[in-house]
Amino acid sequence: MQSASRKTLEESLPDNRASLAAAAIRLVLGALTAIMLLAVPSVAASQQSFVTRQTTYVVRFASAIDESDAPVLLRQPITLRLRNVTLERALQAIAARAGAPLSYSRAVVPLDRVVSIDVRQVSVLRAFYEVLNSVNVELWVSIDGHMALVPATAPPSEEATGTVAGRVTMAGSNEPLNDATVSVSGTRLRTATDNDGRYSIAGVPEGTRTIFVQRLGFGRDSATVVVRPNETVTADFALRPVAVSLSEVVTIGYGTQRRRDLTGAIASVTSDDIQRTPVVSVEQALQGRVAGVQVTGGSGQPGSSAAVRIRGGNSIAAGNDPLYVIDGVPVSASANNTNTYTLETVGVSGLNPLAALNPSDIESVEILKDASATAIYGARASNGVILITTKRGRSGANTVTVNAYHGTQAVRHRLSLLNAQQFAAYANAARVNGGQPALYTPAEIAALPNTNWQDEIFRSAPVTNVEASFSGGDNDTHYYVSGNLLRQDGIVLNTNMNRGSVRLNLDQDISSRFRVGNRFTLSRSQSQLMPNGGGGQEVSSVLLNALTAPPTLSVLGSGNEYFIGVNPATGRIFSNPVGAATLITNKEQQNRFVGNVFGEYDLFPKLTFRSSFGADYLSSMQDFYSPSTTYPGVTTGGSGSRGSLAVTTWLSENTLHYTPGQFGFLRAVDLLGGITLQRTNAANVSGTGQNFVTDALGQNGLNSAGTFIGVWTGAPHSSLASYFARANWNLLDRFLFTVTERVDGSSKFGTGNQYGFFPSAAIAWRMSDESFVRGLGLFDDLKLRASIGKTGNQDIGDYRALATLGSSTYLFNGVKVVGYSPNTLANPNLKWESTSQGNIGLDAALLRSRLLLTADVYNKTTRDLLLEVAVPATLGYSTQLQNIGSVRNRGVELSLNTVNTTGALGWTSGFNIAWNRNKVLSIGADSQIVGPVGVGAGAVQNPTILKVGQPINSFYGYVYSGMSNGQTTYADLNGDGVISTADQQIIGNAEPTYTGGFTNDLTFRNFDLSLFIQFSQGNKIYNITRALLTNDAGNNNQLTDVLPAQSAGANGIPVPKIGNTYDARPSTLFVEDGSYIRGKSLRLGYRLPASLLSSSRPGHLQNAEIYINATNFFTKTKYTGYDPEVSEYATSVLAQGIDFGTYPQTRQFIFGFTTAF
Amino acid sequence: MQTNNLLKSLRRKTAIVGCLTALSVAGCDQFLEPKPTDVLAPENFYRSAADAVSAVNAVYSQAVWVHFWIWYESDVATDDMFATANYGPDGHQLASYTFDPTLWSIDDLWTNAYITINKANIVLDRVPPIVMDVTERNRVLGEAHYLRALTYFELVRMFGDVPLMEQEATTVADAQIPRTPAAQVYALIVSDLQTAMNDLPASYTGADLGRATSGAATSLLAKVYLNQKDYNNAAKYAGQVMTSGRYSLNARWLDNFKISDEFVSPESIFEINYGAPEQTPGVVGSVQTLFSLPSGFPGGDAYGLMQVNPDLIAVYSANDQRGNGATYMTSPYVTALGDTATWGVPNGAAFHKWLDETDSKDMTARSWQQMPNNWIIQRYADVLLIYAEAVNAGGTSTSGSAEAALNQVRTRAGIPTVSGLGSAALTDSIRVERRREFAFEGQRWFDLSRWSLLDATFKAKTTLMQSLQPGETPVHGVPSNLFPIPVGQINSNAKLTQNPGW
């Protein structure tokens, strides 16, 4: 009933607005200037006379009262002491304090009764209750603030029911709206309108009921009706098309706010958006949906991490991942924190921690972008904050949903590689050119097998997801329980991810002032990852091996085993990609609990104390085993390792929230203050062995390994202690102010620098509430926002401010000894990275809210960058972590939501686009750092650079100038006659010029169609894969581009003298345009007609939809690799946009259904 | 007024909000204090004899990195070899002397040298107060003195004046110092070696075998004096080693590079010990073996990066046991396992020296950083030739004639002895003997530098190289016999000046 009253309040505003517009026009005609208009104290004061009476709130005094539902009018605090006065006198006193007229009748209220009252700082409602609690009356409150006492209606009897019926049309045109959902508050009754817009719901319990109606692309509406037994009451609705509802409640840090009241740049993705594209992990749901949020899939490996950048990368060494807060619990998304370095993976460092969360459990995701929005998270907010709110149950509507989908995934395309004959000719040519005998005789060539290794390792891979949820509750208890099972196979042989999760969200009202609840989720994920190089086991990437494996070798040897004999092209043991993919164990299991319990107590009607205790517990096990039947186990008699990690983070938060509403001349005052403590304790252990007696036990036989390589242990911990406060208020009903500050103390920094202060301030001007704007008749809403503030970043390892000792080993007479020595130089001055950000934004709703435009311009500068700075090595240390350097990001974001058609064919669109310019301003004494991270094949093909004046993620190398004598030649940029390191320059960067997305949602009768297009323009990809596949000296397979016949074409490298082309330097040859536009998702759904559903009877199907969905169904790009959405080092800050045998993205087709009972 | 009421009420309700105020700032400071439990801090180390030994072990394990790549400067950058087509730009730049102060290998050596020095300084600063057996403590300090002297000796020979760090550095400001004149650096080296010579034992047994000995300190001291042209002292200390009776030449020259004989051969004085991590996890393996072997050489990785200069081959006579099949080999080559190796890269003779054909790892499982081949700092032949050079240059003889010392080396190699040579001819003979004996053992660059022959030698190499490998164009000679100060070091310390000519 509470929400019903509020809805009605809001939905009636337009009428006011129309009338006010008329008034404003009159004022304009009266030649008043806009400035003078500003000076008019309050237009609102005259509103009452324009408003029609409409009851919005009814309170019965017979039972206990619930103040939280009451309108602001009744929640005002009053202090009143009256002894032995008449009830009428008491009522008048209360009404006077409330500042609202009260109507009553002597026939209804015993006005002469003698009463006493002594209350201090209680609500108006409570005061009424004190004097009226034994009187059988109801207090009615109208929208314009009139109060009336009327005779109490009889309590509804269980059996007595009536019918509600009516028609839903479009406001203005009177066109009928079919398939609008109509529901009755406090019951599970719901139905959909027919083609004439009509509906009828029988069996509605008698009493005052609120009827809700909603339809895609239209604002919600509701009406209050009084249902009488065996009668039909009519409730007709005229819905207005709106692009985004301004009354929508948005989650902000430590609270919520209506969108119309926001002062910061906050974007939302709702459960509807998420469900329109089935995704496995939440960050995938953000891709292309929100202006300024760049999500790079990185890899198609199931369970892998994506790189999420909000308004560009701010940091060089301290991480660029946003802070994820799940139901108030900050969750580490940094894969490095959850890795025991046991797995053979590069880039995909184990499972993505966010993969633990079932996207279907998400109610909404809020992306906090500017400083005003993020500053409440202070020291961890520099990279933006992503707030994830999971679903909660609603009163009266016990609902069971069951959803499932099944689909298949495939690689987008395959690379064109040499076949066996071509490879043999190429290998021979290379050797002859090098003055050696040919590798294959013509007779041998004729008899060679021809293996297509890509076909051998790629497969079409199924994905299946099943989930169920149960939610509902009564007035005091709300529950949401869900479970999910996902199995996703990867498109590379023997890769997969399985996830099972359960969630329990409970909310309980202990009393009208005391509420408790919890959010718990428990998940288990398990993944077999593609062995992909790196680590100590020398497993090269299965994918790279498949690309470079000679097609002249067979998958299986003579004994039907995976062939691991000598590769004649290299003279070394053949690292069989199929054998490695099939036989090597490279898996991770994660158990994760994320949750909190909280209690809220209203100390006073407007002052709430909230205490919550949250925890994020992660336990991870990473296993590797290469048996002796495949490389590299074949050289070591089996290689195995197991790593185990447990990370426990606990969080205690206590807040006071004061919402006095009116406070002196300020309105909508909302004050928040709090304190939080957080600690993370981790412990890990991993062990490695070789020379196993048997492969049968795999890594479980570590204790019997013939060679014990070693064991590694660690137990880092860190703490945060923080205080924060926020004030929101409203001046003259037009100016909204927010001031936020947070003080964070972190154990990661030096004594004296542990505390950082992060303030922000914002102002918004609701211009649409100004008469001169209203007078234009153009804007339904117009708001100008400006904010400024500072946030921090502390995402570095623990103990980095301290000097610590490291161990090393040495051999004396074959005996290993251990040496301990300091390996880091203490930096007691170490402190926070800080990002200052200014933001100016505009929200505008036009065309009767059918078009909503949001535009933001920002400029942010990060200073005191945490950077490993080269110090004079004379010290005995080569680097020290210091606060040095700065990076700037500035950009523009635009998003547009429209309601295009509202007739039989409903069509809404959303479009967003963002430009971000990233620039390194300084990195200390150096002007550039070449190869700041180790990528690619070690020293060769590392194109990374950090250079002042250039974006992070720039590429650096030589400028290819052609071929000479079969050798690649490069431009002599400095003209000194020699090609040296001085001839390198910036040869591109991975930063896009702009990124964005375009969604279209259509409904026609029972069909829904969603089309989602996503694009990235101007980013470059450094294709190391291509380098390896074009510059070899006759030992590894190559792209067909190396064939002389192909070389004339634009794609080919010009006529090489095969066998003498090996040149590993990074150059423009391998920089490619990574721009793309892709059909990210296409979904077609069919909802079973309402007539087939017995919606009005409990326990029967209420809603059922079947759908098909295609993901990545088209891609337009010039990129020659597998997929332009590629970033081998997705978790790295400095090496984005690099393709190095990266597990490709997939195309996916699925079929699914969703149902609700 | 409302606010006042509120505050009053608040005070009454402190029981409820108590947990907010209970957390005082002081309490939070304690909460935030980092207390590592899984890493050591200097404050809780350096307390026992075991800590002292562990601290000096760390100096050895850092010296591993000083000598891991040192052949880039000491041998690739000399007339003994060319870089092949397989070599990266760094090798070519060194071999053709076209590099500049940005070359990574120079910075790498500088950096690792100073890390080693700092770790030695930490031992020298922090071990003396430890309550422990005096002999053992003196040994530990002696080892640190020796390793610090050795490291400064590499630095001062390569760069000339270098900043002198004699104490543990704890803040960045400690290193913002200018270069110290070489003479002062040499003074510290000499004093360190004198201390080490007195405090170190003559030999070790068991699991200490391989630590620095007094003989190692004495031998190095002789070499330091030779480098300073203090021929009396050079001859004196080399003679001391010769008369100690502790060392002698291996009968078979190639046994110096035999992995199974490391530290136990009578010729071994001091080596940097590399191991096979596959056999002893955690230790560092060397790479010079697979860098120098020709491309495709059977038995594992063989990078084929170096080609032996024909000019070096020419100094070996046919019966010199250090020649073909020992220092170098030509294609085809038949290995001890009976495999015939042929190669196209290098396009000529390749180094064989660091291949131990009796070692199965070297012969069948060569791989990156897994090679147990040690890097030899000094062996007895070096002492003999130091003595010969010093005495011939005017040093007082203490242990026989210069010729006699030289002839020991020649005889072992299987070439005729020399006699009756004049001083100049003997000088030439000693110089060519050093080249024959120590090719690719980290001596050549320093020898040429000591003899002031670098520039001339390099010009000659240029002429040869231009005929053999057209396109390799040396652009500068060898200014002041010194390497450039790494540019990164100058960038981070404004007080550092560059060597002339760079």
Coordinates of all heavy atoms in Angstrom, one line a residue, chain A residues 1019-1044:
Chain A
N1019 N 40.5 1.4 -32.0 CA 41.5 0.8 -31.2 C 42.3 -0.1 -32.1 O 41.9 -0.7 -33.0 CB 40.8 -0.1 -30.1 CG 39.8 -1.0 -30.6 OD1 38.9 -0.7 -31.4 ND2 40.0 -2.3 -30.3
K1020 N 43.6 -0.3 -31.7 CA 44.5 -1.1 -32.4 C 44.8 -2.4 -31.7 O 44.7 -2.4 -30.4 CB 45.8 -0.4 -32.7 CG 45.7 0.9 -33.5 CD 45.5 0.6 -34.9 CE 45.6 1.8 -35.8 NZ 44.4 2.7 -35.6
I1021 N 45.1 -3.4 -32.4 CA 45.4 -4.7 -31.8 C 46.8 -5.1 -32.2 O 47.2 -4.9 -33.4 CB 44.5 -5.8 -32.2 CG1 43.1 -5.5 -31.7 CG2 44.9 -7.2 -31.7 CD1 42.0 -6.5 -32.2
Y1022 N 47.7 -5.4 -31.3 CA 49.0 -5.9 -31.6 C 48.9 -7.4 -31.7 O 48.7 -8.1 -30.7 CB 50.1 -5.5 -30.6 CG 51.4 -5.7 -31.2 CD1 52.0 -4.8 -32.0 CD2 52.0 -6.9 -31.1 CE1 53.2 -5.0 -32.7 CE2 53.3 -7.2 -31.7 CZ 53.9 -6.2 -32.5 OH 55.0 -6.5 -33.1
N1023 N 49.1 -7.9 -32.9 CA 48.8 -9.3 -33.2 C 50.1 -10.2 -33.2 O 50.7 -10.4 -34.2 CB 48.1 -9.4 -34.6 CG 47.5 -10.8 -34.8 OD1 47.8 -11.8 -34.1 ND2 46.7 -10.9 -35.8
I1024 N 50.5 -10.6 -32.0 CA 51.7 -11.4 -31.8 C 51.5 -12.8 -32.5 O 52.4 -13.3 -33.1 CB 52.1 -11.6 -30.4 CG1 52.4 -10.2 -29.7 CG2 53.3 -12.5 -30.2 CD1 52.8 -10.3 -28.3
T1025 N 50.2 -13.2 -32.5 CA 49.9 -14.5 -33.1 C 50.3 -14.4 -34.6 O 51.0 -15.4 -35.1 CB 48.4 -14.8 -33.0 OG1 48.0 -14.6 -31.6 CG2 48.1 -16.2 -33.4
R1026 N 50.0 -13.3 -35.2 CA 50.3 -13.2 -36.6 C 51.8 -13.1 -36.8 O 52.3 -13.6 -37.8 CB 49.6 -11.9 -37.2 CG 49.8 -11.8 -38.7 CD 49.0 -10.6 -39.2 NE 49.5 -10.3 -40.6 CZ 49.1 -11.0 -41.6 NH1 48.2 -12.0 -41.5 NH2 49.5 -10.7 -42.8
A1027 N 52.5 -12.5 -35.9 CA 53.9 -12.4 -36.0 C 54.5 -13.8 -36.0 O 55.4 -14.1 -36.8 CB 54.5 -11.5 -34.9
L1028 N 54.1 -14.6 -35.1 CA 54.6 -16.0 -35.0 C 54.2 -16.8 -36.2 O 54.9 -17.7 -36.5 CB 54.1 -16.7 -33.7 CG 54.5 -16.0 -32.4 CD1 53.8 -16.8 -31.2 CD2 56.0 -16.0 -32.2
L1029 N 53.1 -16.4 -36.8 CA 52.6 -17.2 -37.9 C 53.1 -16.6 -39.3 O 52.6 -17.1 -40.3 CB 51.1 -17.3 -37.9 CG 50.6 -18.1 -36.7 CD1 49.0 -18.1 -36.7 CD2 51.1 -19.5 -36.6
T1030 N 54.0 -15.7 -39.3 CA 54.5 -15.2 -40.5 C 56.1 -15.0 -40.5 O 56.7 -14.8 -41.6 CB 54.0 -13.8 -40.9 OG1 54.2 -12.9 -39.8 CG2 52.5 -13.9 -41.2
N1031 N 56.7 -15.2 -39.4 CA 58.1 -14.8 -39.4 C 59.0 -16.0 -39.0 O 60.1 -15.8 -38.5 CB 58.4 -13.6 -38.5 CG 58.3 -13.9 -37.1 OD1 57.9 -15.0 -36.7 ND2 58.5 -12.9 -36.2
D1032 N 58.5 -17.2 -39.1 CA 59.3 -18.3 -38.7 C 60.3 -18.8 -39.8 O 60.2 -18.4 -40.9 CB 58.4 -19.5 -38.4 CG 59.1 -20.6 -37.7 OD1 59.6 -20.4 -36.6 OD2 59.1 -21.7 -38.3
A1033 N 61.3 -19.5 -39.4 CA 62.3 -20.0 -40.3 C 62.1 -21.4 -40.7 O 63.1 -22.2 -40.8 CB 63.7 -19.8 -39.7
G1034 N 60.9 -21.8 -41.0 CA 60.7 -23.1 -41.6 C 60.5 -24.3 -40.6 O 60.5 -25.4 -41.0
N1035 N 60.3 -23.9 -39.3 CA 60.0 -25.0 -38.3 C 58.6 -25.1 -37.9 O 58.2 -26.2 -37.4 CB 60.9 -24.7 -37.1 CG 62.4 -24.7 -37.4 OD1 62.8 -25.4 -38.4 ND2 63.2 -23.9 -36.8
N1036 N 57.9 -24.0 -38.0 CA 56.5 -24.0 -37.5 C 55.6 -23.7 -38.6 O 55.9 -23.0 -39.6 CB 56.3 -23.0 -36.4 CG 57.2 -23.4 -35.1 OD1 57.0 -24.5 -34.6 ND2 58.1 -22.5 -34.7
N1037 N 54.3 -24.1 -38.4 CA 53.3 -23.8 -39.5 C 53.0 -22.3 -39.5 O 53.2 -21.6 -38.5 CB 52.0 -24.6 -39.3 CG 51.2 -24.7 -40.6 OD1 51.8 -24.4 -41.6 ND2 50.0 -25.2 -40.4
Q1038 N 52.6 -21.8 -40.7 CA 52.5 -20.4 -40.9 C 51.1 -20.1 -41.6 O 50.5 -21.0 -42.1 CB 53.6 -19.9 -41.8 CG 55.0 -20.1 -41.3 CD 55.4 -19.1 -40.2 OE1 55.7 -18.0 -40.5 NE2 55.4 -19.5 -39.0
L1039 N 50.8 -18.9 -41.6 CA 49.6 -18.4 -42.3 C 49.9 -18.6 -43.8 O 51.0 -18.5 -44.3 CB 49.3 -17.0 -42.1 CG 48.8 -16.6 -40.6 CD1 48.7 -15.1 -40.5 CD2 47.5 -17.3 -40.3
T1040 N 48.8 -18.8 -44.6 CA 49.0 -18.9 -46.1 C 49.5 -17.6 -46.6 O 49.9 -17.6 -47.8 CB 47.7 -19.4 -46.8 OG1 46.7 -18.5 -46.3 CG2 47.4 -20.8 -46.4
D1041 N 49.4 -16.5 -45.8 CA 49.9 -15.3 -46.3 C 51.4 -15.3 -46.7 O 51.9 -14.5 -47.4 CB 49.7 -14.2 -45.2 CG 48.3 -13.8 -45.0 OD1 47.5 -14.2 -45.9 OD2 48.0 -13.2 -44.0
V1042 N 52.1 -16.3 -46.1 CA 53.6 -16.3 -46.4 C 53.8 -16.9 -47.8 O 55.0 -16.9 -48.3 CB 54.4 -17.1 -45.3 CG1 54.2 -16.5 -44.0 CG2 54.1 -18.6 -45.4
L1043 N 52.8 -17.6 -48.4 CA 53.1 -18.1 -49.7 C 53.4 -17.0 -50.7 O 52.7 -16.0 -50.7 CB 51.8 -18.9 -50.1 CG 51.5 -20.2 -49.3 CD1 50.2 -20.8 -49.8 CD2 52.6 -21.1 -49.4
P1044 N 54.4 -17.2 -51.5 CA 54.7 -16.1 -52.5 C 53.5 -15.7 -53.3 O 53.3 -14.5 -53.5 CB 55.8 -16.8 -53.3 CG 56.4 -17.8 -52.4 CD 55.3 -18.3 -51.6

